[in-house]
Amino acid sequence: MKKDFTDVTSESESERLGKLYPVVLSEYNPNYIQSYLEEKSFLQQCFGDMILRISHIGSTAVPNLISKPTIDILVEIKKDVSLTNITEKLNKKGYIVNRPPNDLIMYIKGYGEKGFEGQVFHIHVRELADHNELYFRDYLIAHPETAKEYGKLKQAIQQKYKHDRDGYTFAKSEFISQITKLARCEFKDKYNPI
């Protein structure tokens, strides 16, 4: 299998990957926390003192929220760090490189040649900053009724975008933007790295 998803630009390749890795929603699993903690420990060993902050983000970080069973981890690192050695270490542990627009680099694991294999992880590597995902997560944890509303939205759009992960993500973007604005008002500069 190709060890890099950075050149997925053709419509046919996007459709093939959409069928291979559909949008699947699962009930909250308390084991997500343990999976995060184990991967966090491994990432701390790999990155060492390059890490300024590491956080469990995404829906699996919110208790009782229906989600794709993907553990998203934000690793914030010092500026001007070479990631070559880290990439080699993570490749040996089954991670594939991806380069979405918001990350310096993203490592993904759990994507096999015939579909998902085991626990899926997305490791987002960025410089330390005031990231929206942290506020959104905290707001959902503090406001379970909003988390429940978000879960219903995901269920409503999941069938339409079952084989279109980008479409699924975009369909949630307005809700996420609105809640993030509320979160930034409530939590002010909680994650400002000053």
Side-chain angles (χ1 to χ4, degrees):
M1 179 175 170
K2 185 177 173 187
K3 292 294 183 189
D4 176 323
F5 287 164
T6 57
D7 295 326
V8 181
T9 54
S10 74
E11 189 173 317
S12 61
E13 181 64 359
S14 180
E15 286 177 16
R16 184 186 76 79
L17 292 173
K19 289 178 182 164
L20 194 58
Y21 311 116
V23 174
V24 176
L25 295 177
S26 300
E27 293 297 323
Y28 178 77
N29 183 340
N31 293 331
Y32 291 149
I33 296 169
Q34 186 59 37
S35 295
Y36 160 71
L37 291 173
E38 289 170 6
E39 209 65 15
K40 176 183 178 182
S41 177
F42 164 69
L43 292 168
Q44 287 171 322
Q45 291 171 15
C46 288
F47 284 87
D49 65 359
M50 288 186 249
I51 292 178
L52 297 173
R53 180 168 54 204
I54 187 166
S55 307
H56 186 184
I57 59 172
S59 293
T60 61
V62 180
N64 303 313
L65 178 58
I66 193 165
S67 65
K68 294 186 313 236
T70 300
I71 308 287
D72 283 284
I73 300 174
L74 176 60
V75 177
E76 295 172 275
I77 61 172
K78 297 175 181 176
K79 286 186 177 187
D80 303 322
V81 170
S82 171
L83 294 169
T84 304
N85 291 337
I86 301 300
T87 299
E88 289 175 14
K89 287 180 187 178
L90 291 174
N91 281 156
K92 289 177 184 175
K93 290 291 189 177
Y95 276 96
I96 301 167
V97 172
N98 195 2
R99 293 191 187 273
N102 295 332
D103 299 332
L104 296 173
I105 194 168
M106 180 173 156
Y107 302 101
I108 60 177
K109 182 169 74 171
Y111 296 87
E113 292 181 26
K114 296 181 181 178
F116 296 114
E117 293 180 352
Q119 179 61 61
V120 176
F121 289 94
H122 290 178
I123 310 302
H124 307 264
V125 179
R126 299 181 192 158
E127 290 179 4
L128 186 69
D130 198 25
H131 297 293
N132 285 338
E133 294 91 340
L134 299 168
Y135 289 91
F136 183 68
R137 175 204 62 198
D138 289 357
Y139 194 89
L140 294 182
I141 290 170
H143 300 276
E145 69 285 352
T146 304
K148 190 173 184 178
E149 184 182 345
Y150 183 49
K152 287 179 181 178
L153 170 65
K154 292 195 286 185
Q155 289 175 303
I157 63 175
Q158 187 259 347
Q159 285 305 311
K160 180 176 181 181
Y161 297 103
K162 186 170 185 164
H163 299 289
D164 180 0
R165 295 171 80 83
D166 290 337
Y168 173 80
T169 299
F170 182 76
K172 300 182 300 177
S173 62
E174 184 178 335
F175 180 92
I176 292 170
S177 178
Q178 290 173 354
I179 298 305
T180 301
K181 286 178 188 172
L182 293 174
R184 283 188 169 277
C185 287
E186 182 169 328
F187 301 120
K188 304 289 183 220
D189 295 325
K190 182 177 180 179
Y191 295 105
N192 192 335
I194 293 177

